[in-house]
Amino acid sequence: MKKLIYLVTLAAVSAANAQDTTSATQRSQGYAEQNANKTFIWSIGVEPSIPIGGFSNYTGFGTGGSLQGEYKPGNRVGITVNFGFIDYFGKTVANVKYDDFKYWPLMGGAKLYLSDMFYIHGQAGPGFGTNGLGTSFWYGGGLGLNFTKAFDAELRYTGWKQNEVNTTNGGGYDNGPSTPPPTTPPGPYYGGHYSTIGLRLAYNF
């Protein structure tokens, strides 16, 4: 009798483990299976971001959103076009209030799917700044995770070369010299290479 109970218990545990393994496999393959026949995928995303390096002297946080289209010539490769808006909120440093840094980046890129769930994504293109920030070259890369066929998250690095700018009396920015003329009162002149770490949380359809 004890032996029979042992065998029944062992069989039940084995069946439960097998079911869990099957469910995990189905979840990991779900995204690929349900999108295997799609050649084009749209997504909308929200993009919180934090500055790193010198850019953190002028802003502490940014947020925005984007619309992305992805063409898939194969199951493991995607070609993307992403257009978005992001606002980096200006800091007040040494009694100087920096205006917000607002950009409209337009970037093309490529995705490589490492598995059914994970991918890497590289992008580059122009970033159109407002209030005198000008147009700069943006680039970046990220590692993404497909939670389901509809939702994914991508941790990404973005960098760009910001032209030298300075604040104006009326607000906003002007393209200015790298150093003020001797007769010009000192002001917040700045520019250079800016970098951020951000997260894109997206809904795919």
Side-chain angles (χ1 to χ4, degrees):
M1 185 66 178
K2 291 182 179 179
K3 186 174 183 180
L4 178 59
I5 294 174
Y6 171 77
L7 292 176
V8 170
T9 302
L10 182 62
V13 171
S14 299
N17 289 337
Q19 184 176 4
D20 289 342
T21 302
T22 301
S23 297
T25 302
Q26 288 174 345
R27 286 195 299 269
S28 68
Q29 292 178 346
Y31 183 89
E33 290 176 353
Q34 296 182 48
N35 289 280
N37 296 325
K38 280 190 174 183
T39 57
F40 203 90
I41 300 171
W42 289 102
S43 69
I44 54 175
V46 294
E47 301 190 22
S49 179
I50 58 173
I52 57 177
F55 194 30
S56 63
N57 295 327
Y58 313 117
T59 177
F61 183 75
T63 185
S66 63
L67 173 66
Q68 180 171 282
E70 178 183 354
Y71 168 67
K72 296 188 69 177
N75 288 339
R76 296 299 186 188
V77 178
I79 299 172
T80 63
V81 176
N82 183 296
F83 181 64
F85 170 77
I86 190 160
D87 183 353
Y88 294 99
F89 306 110
K91 282 184 175 180
T92 299
V93 181
N95 296 322
V96 175
K97 175 63 174 74
Y98 292 96
D99 294 328
D100 288 5
F101 295 77
K102 300 179 181 180
Y103 297 96
W104 294 87
L106 173 61
M107 294 194 285
K111 275 186 179 181
L112 176 62
Y113 290 87
L114 304 177
S115 69
D116 295 335
M117 296 183 67
F118 294 97
Y119 63 84
I120 55 176
H121 188 194
Q123 299 180 92
F128 305 100
T130 66
N131 297 333
L133 287 171
T135 301
S136 48
F137 176 72
W138 286 45
Y139 63 93
L143 175 64
L145 169 64
N146 295 312
F147 294 105
T148 69
K149 69 171 184 177
F151 295 99
D152 77 89
E154 181 181 342
L155 180 65
R156 60 171 62 173
Y157 164 86
T158 303
W160 68 95
K161 173 63 171 67
Q162 174 60 56
N163 296 330
E164 298 278 349
V165 294
N166 69 287
T167 60
T168 64
N169 292 331
Y173 299 100
D174 268 341
N175 292 327
S178 58
T179 56
T183 57
T184 302
Y189 286 77
Y190 49 89
H193 184 265
Y194 290 170
S195 301
T196 64
I197 295 293
L199 184 66
R200 184 174 191 260
L201 303 172
Y203 173 74
N204 304 293
F205 56 95

